[in-house]
Amino acid sequence: MFPVHRPRRLRRTPMMRDMVRETHLRPEDFVYPLFVQETSPKPEPIQAMPGQSRHTIDSLVAEVEKSAEAGLKAVLLFGIPKEKDEQGTGAFIDDGIVQKAVRAIKEKKLPIAVITDVCMCEYTSHGHCGEIVDGDVHNDKSLELITRTAVSQARAGADIVAPSDMMDGRVGAIRGALDEAGFDQVAILSYAAKYASAFYGPFREAAGSAPQFGDRQSYQMDPANVLEALKEVDTDIAEGADMVMVKPALAYLDVIRAVRERTNLPVAAYNVSGEYAMIEFAAKAGVLDRDRIIREVLLSIKRAGADLILTYHSLEMAQKLK
Ligand code: PBG
């Protein structure tokens, strides 16, 4: 040991540190989640997520163009419909907001993949992720709405569909429906281990998707569990998932690591709205060095084992890394 070993030798200069760095961030690592709405003719800033907006189709397309330019390889779309109803019809109609947005992006023929979030909560009047029967979300009835949504997004041109509803059997149901409709090349990024988390708060303000009664604990996972996450990952893979996701990221780094060790599929992690908001508001208050914190957080998620990171800091980071 000491004095033979002096680990500080390799930390002495920036060149030395660059040579031995184990984890690197690249624009290809990031997926940029974006909100598109049809409730206002102008983009609307999201108060709870400084720097992010609910886009119009035009401002969305401009943001996606910038993203492709910066070297990002994928965006993830969330829609905010004009009207909500019991069944969340706006999620699967042919001229739904996300369907229109996907077509508008695809027309530009940009070198960037389009991922669509498959879920009912932004579209239902009650704000839950599926169909309500006797006061709870009915699993198998919800699958019908969810598969219709995935197929209509694929028809609009989505490259990857990402179900985030946490119903049982959804990956298999979506895979079957996509194949039957001729979309066997559309991939599924499954939100396999999605926890019932308080970190989604700002998103629910952004998307207007807070449940009107109760909470999501009967379908999203208990934050205390990690074996259950592996069970969810196993079943989603058996049902045909192409990639699996852990969500949120920062409070679940151990889960990301466990999933990484479990599968050889690409693993994604969602650095969610609350994680974003904590950094932005702390930086505004002058208590954190924003730029360094963003890098440190993203590095930690990658080091934990994520191949892809869904983060609202994607565009900024890609521009900085270029
Ligand atoms: C839809 C969905 C949510 C998020 C992504 N998809 C919200 C929720 O489950 O309540 C959260 C994303 C974020 O917080 O950034 N089910």
Side-chain angles (χ1 to χ4, degrees):
M1 283 291 126
F2 179 80
V4 177
H5 288 285
R6 288 180 180 270
R8 286 185 57 187
R9 285 183 194 125
L10 296 183
R11 299 181 202 134
R12 200 168 50 82
T13 66
M15 294 71 80
M16 298 289 225
R17 295 193 291 273
D18 285 352
M19 279 174 64
V20 298
R21 184 160 301 120
E22 298 172 39
T23 313
H24 301 269
L25 296 174
R26 315 169 307 156
E28 294 90 320
D29 298 333
F30 307 124
V31 176
Y32 190 16
L34 290 164
F35 300 93
V36 60
Q37 47 86 9
E38 54 183 356
T39 50
S40 158
K42 284 195 314 246
E44 294 173 337
I46 301 166
Q47 302 303 329
M49 300 173 69
Q52 302 298 310
S53 298
R54 280 181 285 254
H55 287 281
T56 61
I57 290 183
D58 286 349
S59 72
L60 175 80
V61 170
E63 193 77 354
V64 178
E65 281 173 329
K66 269 195 254 170
S67 303
E69 173 85 1
L72 293 176
K73 300 299 171 191
V75 291
L76 168 68
L77 302 185
F78 293 99
I80 300 143
K82 215 172 3 217
E83 275 154 30
K84 303 183 187 229
D85 59 27
E86 275 281 304
Q87 290 215 310
T89 315
F92 49 80
I93 51 179
D94 190 46
D95 63 346
I97 178 62
V98 161
Q99 288 77 0
K100 287 191 286 193
V102 173
R103 278 188 228 108
I105 294 169
K106 283 288 159 181
E107 250 169 48
K108 299 282 177 188
K109 305 220 175 303
L110 301 166
I112 193 162
V114 177
I115 310 176
T116 47
D117 183 81
V118 181
C119 196
M120 308 311 294
C121 64
E122 295 112 74
Y123 304 90
T124 51
S125 43
H126 44 74
H128 278 286
C129 303
E131 184 154 341
I132 302 292
V133 178
D134 296 335
D136 194 13
V137 178
H138 190 283
N139 195 85
D140 299 12
K141 281 194 196 303
S142 301
L143 290 184
E144 263 170 60
L145 305 177
I146 286 157
T147 52
R148 280 176 75 175
T149 301
V151 170
S152 84
Q153 292 170 346
R155 192 170 291 125
D159 299 289
I160 302 172
V161 294
S164 68
D165 51 280
M166 288 302 278
M167 297 303 128
D168 296 332
R170 73 212 198 276
V171 173
I174 290 172
R175 185 70 273 157
L178 286 175
D179 289 358
E180 202 171 306
F183 299 112
D184 56 16
Q185 293 302 307
V186 171
I188 299 177
L189 164 58
S190 157
Y191 289 68
K194 176 173 177 179
Y195 288 88
S197 170
F199 283 98
Y200 310 145
F203 174 96
R204 291 182 188 172
E205 187 225 285
S209 63
Q212 298 304 300
F213 64 88
D215 56 40
R216 302 207 205 289
Q217 291 185 75
S218 79
Y219 42 107
Q220 297 182 349
M221 282 180 46
D222 183 339
N225 297 350
V226 61
L227 295 175
E228 189 187 359
L230 299 179
K231 180 170 85 180
E232 286 283 1
V233 165
D234 288 348
T235 51
D236 284 6
I237 293 173
E239 289 175 32
D242 297 283
M243 299 187 267
V244 287
M245 193 197 299
V246 174
K247 175 184 177 185
L250 213 40
Y252 299 86
L253 294 176
D254 58 322
V255 182
I256 297 172
R257 168 54 48 189
V259 170
R260 170 69 293 156
E261 284 168 9
R262 183 76 156 200
T263 173
N264 48 20
L265 295 188
V267 174
Y270 201 140
N271 181 216
V272 299
S273 58
E275 301 171 26
Y276 175 86
M278 287 197 304
I279 295 178
E280 295 301 323
F281 286 106
K284 271 189 201 302
V287 297
L288 288 179
D289 179 337
R290 182 178 177 280
D291 194 63
R292 288 186 57 203
I293 288 283
I294 293 170
R295 284 171 196 264
E296 192 171 331
V297 162
L298 296 173
L299 262 183
S300 77
I301 298 169
K302 191 153 181 206
R303 198 187 61 234
D307 302 293
L308 290 171
I309 305 172
L310 293 91
T311 173
Y312 302 97
H313 287 121
S314 290
L315 178 55
E316 178 180 337
M317 277 307 295
Q319 286 168 338
K320 286 186 172 151
L321 290 168
K322 240 186 133 180

